[in-house]
Amino acid sequence: MKKFMSEFKEFIMRGNVMDLAVGVIIGGAFSAIVTSLTNDIISPILGLFGGLDFSQLVAKVGDVEIRYGAFLTAVINFLIMALIIFLMVKGINKLMTIGKKKKEEEEEATTKLCPHCCEEVNINATKCPHCTGDIPAEDA
């Protein structure tokens, strides 16, 4: 039992599990915001133009009510959340590529290729440390 508890504690204390827990909590709060946006702002605005409120749309089949308006509201919620998550991921990916481009530019600016052996050497080098060939000044 001690081994099981220590393994469970190790599993719970991993960084990715904690990150996932934080993501789920923030996702729940964000979901409430998007639901409120849809129910309190978007649906009434669409009701002004369409003359109806999605949440009130109900189809009766015998004694059963099918609330397809609530389903349409949930679909709108999903589309809004998907759009926002897409835009966030796209923005984060763009930021990450900007950082990579800067690193690549810095690396390219600090080295050059030897014309004799094609090995990378320091940009200020006048002799190649690999083949000991002279590096012409115009290549520097």
Side-chain angles (χ1 to χ4, degrees), residues 65-122:
E65 289 185 349
I66 299 174
R67 300 176 185 228
Y68 66 93
F71 175 73
L72 290 175
T73 302
V75 169
I76 292 170
N77 286 349
F78 171 77
L79 292 174
I80 291 170
M81 288 186 74
L83 175 68
I84 292 172
I85 290 171
F86 169 75
L87 293 174
M88 288 174 55
V89 168
K90 188 173 179 177
I92 289 169
N93 287 342
K94 185 166 180 100
L95 286 174
M96 290 178 71
T97 58
I98 289 172
K100 287 181 183 178
K101 285 180 184 176
K102 286 182 180 178
K103 285 182 183 178
E104 289 174 2
E105 288 173 4
E106 290 173 5
E107 289 175 7
E108 290 174 11
T110 60
T111 61
K112 62 183 175 183
L113 293 178
C114 172
H116 306 288
C117 65
C118 297
E119 292 287 332
E120 262 189 25
V121 295
N122 187 306

Side-chain angles (χ1 to χ4, degrees), residues 19 28 32 82 85 109 123:
D19 292 342
I85 290 171
I123 198 161

